[in-house]
Amino acid sequence: MNEALPDLTARFRVRHGLFRKEIVEASLFELDGYGCVMKTDKVFNPGDTLVLDLVMDMPFEEIRAEGVSGLVTERRKHCSNFFYSINFVEFDPNSPLSEKLTRIREVLSRKLTLKSRRSPISGFRQMA
């Protein structure tokens, strides 16, 4: 969990009072078919439910999985922020939301593979 996942953020709404809501953008550090790990300065407790919009920034379009429900299962403090383990609530595997999550994971996997291939080369160039 050293670096945030490239070009992937989670957006969610936090209620402040009766009429005011704030849209928060948080970095994701892990993502799989069962959940994710998110870092934010907002305080949640294990057992809280969040509705996330996962957004992957692409050069020509965004891949968006909107309305992903997640259950906060763990909270770890890191400086002034918290890492939250979030388990996705079960949903239909044939739904459009499931397809978009699968697409995000596929693109993310390709990006991480390309990034890992480039890393040793950039280190070699710095030595030269």
Side-chain angles (χ1 to χ4, degrees):
M1 239 188 322
N2 297 340
E3 292 183 28
L5 296 175
D7 304 322
L8 183 61
T9 56
R11 294 182 185 147
F12 55 94
R13 288 174 187 79
V14 177
R15 181 173 248 152
H16 293 289
L18 189 58
F19 297 108
R20 213 173 109 224
K21 293 181 182 177
E22 173 187 8
I23 296 177
V24 178
E25 206 166 282
S27 302
L28 290 178
F29 284 76
E30 289 180 20
L31 177 68
D32 60 21
Y34 304 104
C36 63
V37 174
M38 175 179 74
K39 181 181 179 183
T40 183
D41 62 349
K42 301 299 176 192
V43 179
F44 300 106
N45 294 313
D48 289 350
T49 302
L50 298 175
V51 178
L52 304 173
D53 295 339
L54 301 179
V55 181
M56 176 163 266
D57 238 353
M58 300 294 290
F60 298 107
E61 65 176 323
E62 290 181 339
I63 303 173
R64 299 166 82 61
E66 297 177 331
V68 179
S69 293
L71 178 70
V72 177
T73 57
E74 183 182 351
R75 176 178 69 185
R76 288 170 277 162
K77 187 160 177 58
H78 181 262
C79 297
S80 63
N81 291 308
F82 295 95
F83 283 100
Y84 293 101
S85 295
I86 299 172
N87 288 350
F88 296 146
V89 177
E90 294 291 323
F91 47 87
D92 182 19
N94 298 324
S95 70
L97 179 60
S98 178
E99 292 173 10
K100 288 185 178 187
L101 276 173
T102 302
R103 175 80 175 125
I104 287 173
R105 285 195 314 271
E106 288 171 354
V107 171
L108 185 62
S109 175
R110 288 188 206 133
K111 283 186 171 207
L112 292 174
T113 301
L114 287 172
K115 186 176 178 181
S116 69
R117 286 184 193 166
R118 282 190 245 143
S119 294
I121 295 171
S122 64
F124 180 72
R125 286 183 185 158
Q126 288 176 351
M127 288 176 36

